[in-house]
Amino acid sequence: MKSRIQGAICLTLPAMLLAVLLATAAGCITADRAAPDADTITVAVTIPPQAEFAEAVGGDRVRVVVMVPPGASPHTYEPTPGQLAEVSRAALYAKVGSGIDFERAWMEEISGLNPGMQIVDCSEGVELIAGGEGEGADPHIWTSPRNAEVMVGNICAGLCSVDPEYCDYYRQNAAAYAENLNALDREIGAAVAGMQNRQILVYHPAWAYFARDYNLTQIAIEEEGKEPTPQGIQHLIQEAKEKKITVIFAEPEFSTRSAEAIADEVGGEVVLVSPLERDYIENMQRVAAAFARSGS
């Protein structure tokens, strides 16, 4: 499995950010200064689940920096000057690569800050689903453990590129974690196998890849990344009643107002599930259990 590693041209940051970064980095920093100490490689990732992937592969060789912290939305988050200073010391950036809004807005700035940093596209080799928010592919590729295995392989290839002396170590770690992901895939399949109602009503459409893998249908409250209109909510209430859906899944990173309005009308409940937890395997087990209960 090969990763797409690409260089970048050093670009000028906005004046305020550049002033902060110059104080710590004195301009664009190359990869040979990536590690805080000689035994650690700094790896930057976009979202918390990738941190588990990078740590599983890199072991004690890596220090992981997460750009979108827990509780924040990768659709709206803007990095702090301190985070940009940290990424300026990274040897490797593992981007999600599927069109996530944070990367659309900031990857050019980030790569320009650190032109010696190698960038690996975690989506390479993933079969994307069209029709996410707005145009293009659905960016939430990591919600499928099968996709997560591909992402782990891409991270492994990136680490082998920047630290070839330890490539065997990274490959062994990646293989061990892939076994855990395969076990997770089987566990989720068993958990949802008995669902009588295989339709899940969610606020934010983050679960299309999960639904594809496990023969579920995702119905989203959001309309192209926006709150639904009153007419849209009424339509969803009617659809939920017709399809006997009584659980509405919302995310802690978003408002639950619309989900609660629908739940009140159908005599149901709102259950919070997040695709952005750092403890990826445990979180996906919890999500699968919640979906399974809703369809029993």
Side-chain angles (χ1 to χ4, degrees):
M1 187 175 300
K2 296 182 179 178
S3 62
R4 183 167 60 218
I5 306 294
Q6 59 186 33
I9 298 172
C10 187
L11 302 174
T12 302
L13 287 172
M16 181 185 73
L17 296 180
L18 184 58
V20 174
L21 294 169
L22 283 174
T24 59
C28 292
I29 298 175
T30 55
D32 61 358
R33 293 179 57 193
D37 59 70
D39 298 322
T40 306
I41 295 171
T42 297
V43 177
V45 299
T46 299
I47 56 173
Q50 289 179 290
E52 179 167 307
F53 302 163
E55 288 169 350
V57 177
D60 58 9
R61 291 286 303 160
V62 302
R63 170 182 174 268
V64 177
V65 174
V66 181
M67 297 305 293
V68 180
S73 169
H75 301 283
T76 58
Y77 184 76
E78 296 184 1
T80 66
Q83 287 178 302
L84 293 174
E86 282 198 283
V87 81
S88 75
R89 295 186 289 270
L92 179 70
Y93 193 112
K95 67 177 183 177
V96 178
S98 52
I100 200 166
D101 289 332
F102 176 86
E103 293 174 356
R104 288 178 182 269
W106 286 96
M107 279 310 301
E108 186 175 9
E109 300 276 11
I110 288 169
S111 61
L113 172 67
N114 186 351
M117 176 178 66
Q118 296 197 34
I119 300 174
V120 59
D121 183 347
C122 287
S123 72
E124 185 169 321
V126 171
E127 182 181 350
L128 300 177
I129 294 176
E133 301 109 28
E135 298 179 358
D138 186 313
H140 307 89
I141 59 173
W142 65 93
T143 59
S144 157
R146 300 170 196 176
N147 289 349
E149 184 175 353
V150 176
M151 297 173 75
V152 166
N154 288 329
I155 291 171
C156 179
L159 284 170
C160 284
S161 178
V162 299
D163 192 25
E165 182 180 354
Y166 287 86
C167 188
D168 286 345
Y169 172 71
Y170 298 137
R171 287 172 175 166
Q172 290 170 6
N173 289 346
Y177 190 72
E179 290 182 4
N180 293 336
L181 291 173
N182 289 333
L184 173 65
D185 181 29
R186 294 191 296 271
E187 182 178 342
I188 292 174
V192 303
M195 290 177 65
Q196 300 300 309
N197 188 342
R198 306 193 70 81
Q199 298 175 92
I200 52 173
L201 179 57
V202 302
Y203 173 76
H204 182 65
W207 303 99
Y209 294 94
F210 186 104
R212 180 180 67 184
D213 285 356
Y214 304 110
N215 192 29
L216 305 177
T217 299
Q218 172 184 257
I219 303 169
I221 295 174
E222 264 190 344
E223 296 179 340
E224 297 184 351
K226 300 177 182 179
E227 283 279 346
T229 64
Q231 295 82 0
I233 290 179
Q234 286 301 316
H235 173 76
L236 287 165
I237 290 170
Q238 184 63 31
E239 186 174 10
K241 289 179 177 179
E242 290 174 356
K243 296 178 178 177
K244 296 181 172 54
I245 297 172
T246 58
V247 178
I248 296 86
F249 293 99
E251 296 179 24
E253 296 83 12
F254 294 91
S255 168
T256 61
R257 183 176 56 189
S258 297
E260 289 169 351
I262 295 171
D264 288 343
E265 290 295 325
V266 301
E269 62 175 330
V270 174
V271 174
L272 295 179
V273 293
S274 175
L276 293 168
E277 296 290 337
R278 186 177 180 122
D279 56 336
Y280 179 78
I281 288 179
E282 292 181 8
N283 183 56
M284 294 299 287
Q285 290 169 332
R286 291 191 294 268
V287 169
F291 288 166
R293 286 193 297 271
S294 75
S296 60

